């Protein structure tokens, strides 16, 4: 049996599968994209970095051809595919197995509701990557990778997963994965807003600072109302963006300077709309945020309006344009 089964071997799953396999771990990729699976099976998985291509041989199958029992599952599908994966995975997951959510959003809740909290591990992912052709993942820049039990314990399995993921880079364990995921939802509100236009994330965040600061503050206000302890990562400091802060501009100087160093200059959300012409996952990311905002009475008008515009852009009802950011910022 594979030590790690990567379900969704795209940008993030492919990157991590590549490094785990190259370090000698037994890795199986299960992916719904038949062309991607076929390319990996015939040519290996290619990671395209600043110094050129590196290739590793990895076993890959489509879901129908997966083994009957899986133990260590690294889940890296887009959030809206999670429910479908879980109904396929639950009967296959060993009783002592686990699922690590290597995704944006709050997927751990859904995963735990299907496979049980004892088989659910959380993670926060901020590395940048894209699948650029079947079997080829482009490294878009290094960011944080943090793993933790949803209940905050630093368990033996978390330590083992972190040690193995260090084959990729500086993975670490946390007792507060929820604090990272909510902080990423705050940062992610800026990233999602940039997907309304076709320009680099750093430039749009820089040019529309009042809007970016206000939308991030809305999300973080919901997080704080729920009693979360927010975690800083890379060059995103949530403390600088909470309501009442006056440190946003200095923080955004650091954030945009960091984003400008990344080879991947547009978000996965932008890519799903502009390049892949498919529905985006952010409605799943922010559904629980909107629900919690409503139940706690925290106003989120900008987040709501931004997501409505994104839906219109996604469905082709509205064009992708920086004008959306101008109008949201008024
Ligand atoms: N890419 C990035 O830089 C970052 C991504 N993330 C997060 O990581 C997660 C994964 O994103 P990313 O790697 O970009 O996504 P990708 O679309 O690159 O990869 C996901 C892969 O999962 C496949 N898939 C979809 N449904 C299933 C299924 N039921 N069973 C098996 N495979 C399936 C997809 O196939 P198909 O294309 O056919 O649907 C695709 O190949 C997301 O939550 C994202 O927000 C977080 C930080 C950065
Ligand atoms: C911008 C990035 C890479 C930050 O992690 C991201 O989350 C995405 O592309 O969806």
């Amino acid at each position: 049996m594979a030590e790690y089964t990567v379900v969704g071997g795209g940008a993030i799953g492919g990157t991590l599968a590549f490094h785990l396999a190259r370090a000698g771990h037994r890795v199986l990729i299960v992916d719904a994209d038949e062309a991607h699976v076929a390319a990996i099976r015939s040519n290996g998985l290619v990671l395209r970095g600043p110094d050129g291509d590196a290739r590793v041989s990895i076993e890959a199958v489509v879901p129908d051809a997966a083994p009957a029992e899986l133990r260590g599952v690294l889940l890296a599908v887009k959030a809206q595919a999670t429910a479908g994966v879980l109904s396929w995975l639950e009967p296959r997951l060993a009783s002592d197995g686990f699922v690590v959510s290597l995704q944006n959003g709050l997927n751990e809740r859904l995963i735990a509701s299907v496979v049980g909290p004892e088989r659910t591990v959380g993670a926060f992912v901020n590395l940048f990557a894209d699948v650029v052709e079947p079997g080829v993942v482009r490294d878009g820049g290094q960011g944080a990778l943090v793993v933790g039990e949803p209940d905050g314990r630093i368990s033996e399995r978390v330590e083992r997963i972190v040690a193995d993921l260090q084959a990729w880079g500086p993975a670490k364990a946390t007792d507060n994965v929820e604090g990272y995921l909510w902080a990423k939802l705050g940062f992610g509100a800026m990233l999602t807003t940039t997907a309304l236009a076709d320009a680099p994330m750093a430039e749009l965040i820089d040019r529309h600072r009042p809007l970016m600061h206000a939308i991030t503050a809305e999300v973080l206000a919901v997080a704080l109302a729920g009693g979360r302890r927010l975690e800083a990562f890379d060059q995103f400091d949530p403390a600088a963006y909470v309501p009442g802060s006056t440190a946003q501009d200095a923080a955004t100087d650091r954030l945009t300077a960091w984003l400008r160093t990344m080879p991947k200059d547009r978000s996965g959300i932008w890519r799903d709309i502009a390049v892949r012409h498919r529905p985006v996952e952010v409605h799943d990311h922010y559904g629980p945020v909107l629900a919690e905002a409503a139940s706690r009475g925290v106003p989120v008008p900008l987040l709501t309006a931004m997501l409505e515009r994104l839906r219109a852009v996604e469905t082709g009802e509205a064009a992708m344009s920086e004008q959306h950011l101008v109008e949201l910022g008024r």
Side-chain angles (χ1 to χ4, degrees):
M1 190 187 295
E3 262 175 280
Y4 289 107
T5 300
V6 176
V7 179
I12 296 301
T15 301
L16 298 175
F18 176 94
H19 289 286
L20 286 167
R22 201 170 56 167
H25 295 282
R26 274 172 295 122
V27 179
L28 169 68
I29 287 178
V30 179
D31 199 285
D33 181 341
E34 290 180 14
H36 189 51
V37 168
I40 297 169
R41 289 173 74 92
S42 47
N43 305 318
L45 179 64
V46 173
L47 189 63
R48 183 159 294 164
D51 303 325
D53 286 359
R55 189 181 303 270
V56 77
S57 180
I58 302 189
E59 216 188 311
V61 293
V62 293
D64 283 349
E69 191 176 49
L70 305 173
R71 183 159 286 118
V73 173
L74 305 183
L75 181 61
V77 296
K78 298 272 182 170
Q80 75 272 42
T82 306
V85 168
L86 288 171
S87 52
W88 165 89
L89 179 59
E90 197 278 332
R92 288 181 164 78
L93 189 63
S95 54
D96 61 348
F98 57 82
V99 181
V100 187
S101 168
L102 291 153
Q103 300 167 286
N104 280 326
L106 302 169
N107 305 278
E108 289 76 4
R109 293 178 189 180
L110 177 59
I111 296 169
S113 74
V114 177
V115 304
E118 68 292 347
R119 293 193 293 180
T120 303
V121 179
F124 157 68
V125 186
N126 204 42
L127 49 119
F128 290 32
D130 286 315
V131 174
V132 288
E133 58 187 87
V136 181
V137 176
R138 188 170 87 111
D139 178 353
Q142 205 176 65
L145 175 57
V146 182
V147 182
E149 296 287 350
D151 67 6
R153 276 173 309 122
I154 304 284
S155 61
E156 185 273 327
R157 73 179 170 191
V158 161
E159 285 178 339
R160 182 165 29 91
I161 294 162
V162 167
D164 290 344
L165 288 176
Q166 284 171 353
W168 158 80
K172 63 176 197 179
T174 179
D175 64 0
N176 183 24
V177 73
E178 192 187 29
Y180 280 100
L181 291 171
W182 274 89
K184 178 74 187 266
L185 285 165
F187 174 40
M190 293 197 217
L191 300 176
T192 306
T193 305
T194 68
L196 290 166
D198 183 11
M201 296 179 283
E203 305 314 323
L204 290 166
I205 292 171
D206 215 358
R207 286 206 285 270
H208 299 275
R209 287 183 180 220
L211 167 64
M212 297 296 177
H213 297 168
I215 205 162
T216 303
E218 286 187 2
V219 174
L220 298 184
V222 181
L224 294 177
R228 280 108 189 169
R229 179 166 48 92
L230 295 167
E231 298 282 354
F233 56 85
D234 299 321
Q235 291 299 329
F236 179 74
D237 178 7
Y241 294 97
V242 296
S245 166
T246 52
Q248 295 95 333
D249 271 316
T252 298
D253 288 344
R254 290 191 294 276
L255 181 66
T256 51
W258 178 73
L259 281 171
R260 286 190 178 99
T261 67
M262 299 308 234
K264 172 175 163 130
D265 69 357
R266 286 163 171 79
S267 71
I269 308 137
W270 172 88
R271 192 174 169 82
D272 279 343
I273 300 174
V275 178
R276 300 166 98 191
H277 310 296
R278 50 169 61 187
V280 298
E281 62 180 332
V282 289
H283 306 290
D284 289 69
H285 298 163
Y286 290 100
V289 178
L290 296 177
E292 189 165 330
S295 72
R296 294 189 188 280
V298 179
V300 285
L302 274 175
L303 179 68
T304 308
M306 182 273 285
L307 291 171
E308 278 166 10
R309 278 178 190 260
L310 194 71
R311 185 75 87 186
V313 171
E314 195 185 344
T315 55
E317 224 177 284
M320 196 175 253
S321 160
E322 195 168 343
Q323 190 58 25
H324 293 295
L325 283 76
V326 173
E327 289 169 14
L328 283 168
R330 278 189 191 135

